Amino acid sequence: GGGDAKPAPKRILILGGTGFIGPHQVRYAVARGHKVTIFNRGKTNPGLFGAEVEKLEGDRNGKLDALKGREWDVVIDNPATLPRWVRDSAQLLKDSAKQYIFISTISVYAANDTPNANESAAVLPPVPDSVTTENPRQYYGQYKAMAEKEAERAFPGHATVIRPGLIVGPGDYSDRFTYWPVRIEKGGEVLAPGDGSDPVQIIDARDLAEFTIRCAENGTVGTYNATGPKDRFTMKQMLDGIKRETKSDARFTWVDADFLEQQKVSAWSDMPVWVPAKGDSAGFASRDISRAVASGLTFRPFGATVRDTLAFYHAEPPERQEKLRAGLKPEREREVLAAWHARAASK
């Protein structure tokens, strides 16, 4: 179709490029005919790309010399959390590139209590000056909100801020989505959180990567929530979709949020992807994405994400497969299910 027409080739500098979303961006950009340079420490997957990708080595902590005296059309900044990283690279590149695309996060928002909130919703305040030790984990959303402003300051009117939700798919080492395909594939009785009606939002890393490259091709600027899928998606739809894809005999036992809380089974970490849609988190998994969709965000079928996530997982070494970084351990899952059934029997 007409959408496949090759765009005018651009010179794209990708800061990072070897982590989770970077390789997907690089491969898509190269396939689209762009000239790609990646900048990183050369420590993660150094042999990932062939000679068609230019590799520059350096470090966001002050070793940016390799970027000096060069010109690019677009810079894509993937890994930066700390605002000074963005400030240093964006200030250095503001005269040698036309557009700066910063990959931020929906964690920048000050509140998650309003369903269908769009990009105009308030973001978190800066980290207070009294905090002198950088703690990217504790202040993740605040640092990212500050970093967005650094990109906009260096590239006024030429900055693109992309705020993804939970990024999933092949290459994901957080296991926050992977837990579900792996668990459901094993079959049997599966502890499922809530009643199935809570909305969830995820974005396949490849869909995010393609949208990012499209923003580069089209000179798309401004701020975009990038999560998915296109239409409302519930926890039940997600788990049923995974079951269909894995053809397993999994049976879902839906356990209400209050009981899970009593059992100290936490939303998001023990029960990944899921956050109960009530109170402070009533809008957590229903961000408005219409702006990104209008600007070229597309979604591959959910089944493809499930299949490719499982293929990625099964290709990993056995010792890595045994240690999922999110979700419940099997014995804990059995205990909670037993307690739930015992409670129901005693009523």
Side-chain angles (χ1 to χ4, degrees), residues 255-273:
V255 175
D256 74 55
D258 294 341
F259 186 81
L260 290 175
E261 208 174 317
Q262 286 160 20
Q263 292 285 320
K264 302 206 174 7
V265 174
S266 60
W268 196 250
S269 54
D270 294 329
M271 290 279 100
V273 185

Side-chain angles (χ1 to χ4, degrees), residues 194-249:
D195 63 3
S197 70
D198 292 307
V200 291
Q201 284 183 313
I202 56 176
I203 178 88
D204 188 299
R206 295 161 298 180
D207 293 331
L208 175 62
E210 289 170 16
F211 175 62
T212 306
I213 299 304
R214 276 178 214 133
C215 287
E217 287 176 0
N218 301 325
T220 305
V221 295
T223 304
Y224 300 87
N225 289 332
T227 186
K230 195 166 175 202
D231 302 306
R232 184 187 156 89
F233 195 46
T234 63
M235 198 64 191
K236 182 176 190 320
Q237 283 172 297
M238 186 178 93
L239 298 194
D240 286 345
I242 294 170
K243 180 177 170 173
R244 255 195 317 278
E245 209 50 58
T246 56
K247 303 182 174 53
S248 85
D249 67 352

Side-chain angles (χ1 to χ4, degrees), residues 3-333:
D4 301 331
K6 284 278 162 73
K10 293 208 170 186
R11 296 160 302 170
I12 301 176
L13 168 65
I14 299 181
L15 304 177
T18 53
F20 178 19
I21 49 179
H24 298 305
Q25 292 168 344
V26 173
R27 283 191 283 267
Y28 186 68
V30 168
R32 300 278 288 162
H34 301 297
K35 181 105 190 59
V36 177
T37 303
I38 60 174
F39 172 85
N40 54 53
R41 294 174 307 168
K43 291 194 166 51
T44 311
N45 301 321
L48 198 56
F49 306 111
E52 80 280 11
V53 174
E54 181 191 21
K55 301 171 190 71
L56 300 179
E57 259 183 55
D59 195 308
R60 301 301 289 268
N61 277 322
K63 298 195 188 77
L64 299 171
D65 288 355
L67 301 177
K68 289 179 179 157
R70 292 285 307 269
E71 281 196 0
W72 288 278
D73 296 302
V74 187
V75 182
I76 299 173
D77 189 342
N78 288 315
T81 301
L82 295 171
R84 66 184 172 83
W85 287 1
V86 179
R87 184 182 62 233
D88 292 352
S89 55
Q91 289 294 340
L92 174 66
L93 294 162
K94 68 180 183 193
D95 299 320
S96 49
K98 302 182 183 82
Q99 180 185 7
Y100 197 96
I101 302 178
F102 177 62
I103 307 296
S104 185
T105 168
I106 57 163
S107 299
V108 296
Y109 290 113
N112 292 300
D113 53 2
T114 311
N116 307 313
N118 68 16
E119 293 83 356
S120 66
V123 300
L124 290 162
V127 174
D129 291 338
S130 56
V131 177
T132 50
T133 310
E134 287 170 346
N135 188 336
R137 190 159 267 164
Q138 187 182 353
Y139 297 108
Y140 179 68
Q142 284 166 278
Y143 280 135
K144 281 283 204 182
M146 293 164 74
E148 289 183 358
K149 292 189 175 63
E150 293 293 354
E152 286 156 358
R153 189 172 299 144
F155 283 77
H158 299 276
T160 310
V161 170
I162 298 176
R163 294 173 177 164
L166 180 62
I167 308 170
V168 307
D172 175 19
Y173 285 99
S174 79
D175 297 330
R176 286 188 292 193
F177 169 75
T178 308
Y179 170 78
W180 291 111
V182 169
R183 174 63 193 91
I184 290 167
E185 188 178 50
K186 290 197 173 95
E189 187 186 14
V190 175
L191 175 63
D195 63 3
S197 70
D198 292 307
V200 291
Q201 284 183 313
I202 56 176
I203 178 88
D204 188 299
R206 295 161 298 180
D207 293 331
L208 175 62
E210 289 170 16
F211 175 62
T212 306
I213 299 304
R214 276 178 214 133
C215 287
E217 287 176 0
N218 301 325
T220 305
V221 295
T223 304
Y224 300 87
N225 289 332
T227 186
K230 195 166 175 202
D231 302 306
R232 184 187 156 89
F233 195 46
T234 63
M235 198 64 191
K236 182 176 190 320
Q237 283 172 297
M238 186 178 93
L239 298 194
D240 286 345
I242 294 170
K243 180 177 170 173
R244 255 195 317 278
E245 209 50 58
T246 56
K247 303 182 174 53
S248 85
D249 67 352
R251 303 182 312 286
F252 300 121
T253 298
W254 295 93
V255 175
D256 74 55
D258 294 341
F259 186 81
L260 290 175
E261 208 174 317
Q262 286 160 20
Q263 292 285 320
K264 302 206 174 7
V265 174
S266 60
W268 196 250
S269 54
D270 294 329
M271 290 279 100
V273 185
W274 174 75
V275 172
K278 59 181 192 189
D280 287 346
S281 56
F284 175 80
S286 50
R287 291 267 159 211
D288 181 336
I289 56 167
S290 54
R291 241 192 126 187
V293 170
S295 295
L297 175 61
T298 58
F299 305 96
R300 65 200 58 218
F302 179 60
T305 299
V306 175
R307 280 194 305 279
D308 297 343
T309 298
L310 279 169
F312 163 72
Y313 167 82
H314 286 302
E316 291 285 296
E319 61 278 10
R320 143 84 186 125
Q321 291 189 40
E322 281 155 32
K323 289 201 176 65
L324 283 176
R325 296 189 174 104
L328 280 182
K329 301 275 176 287
E331 55 280 9
R332 182 73 191 118
E333 184 192 26

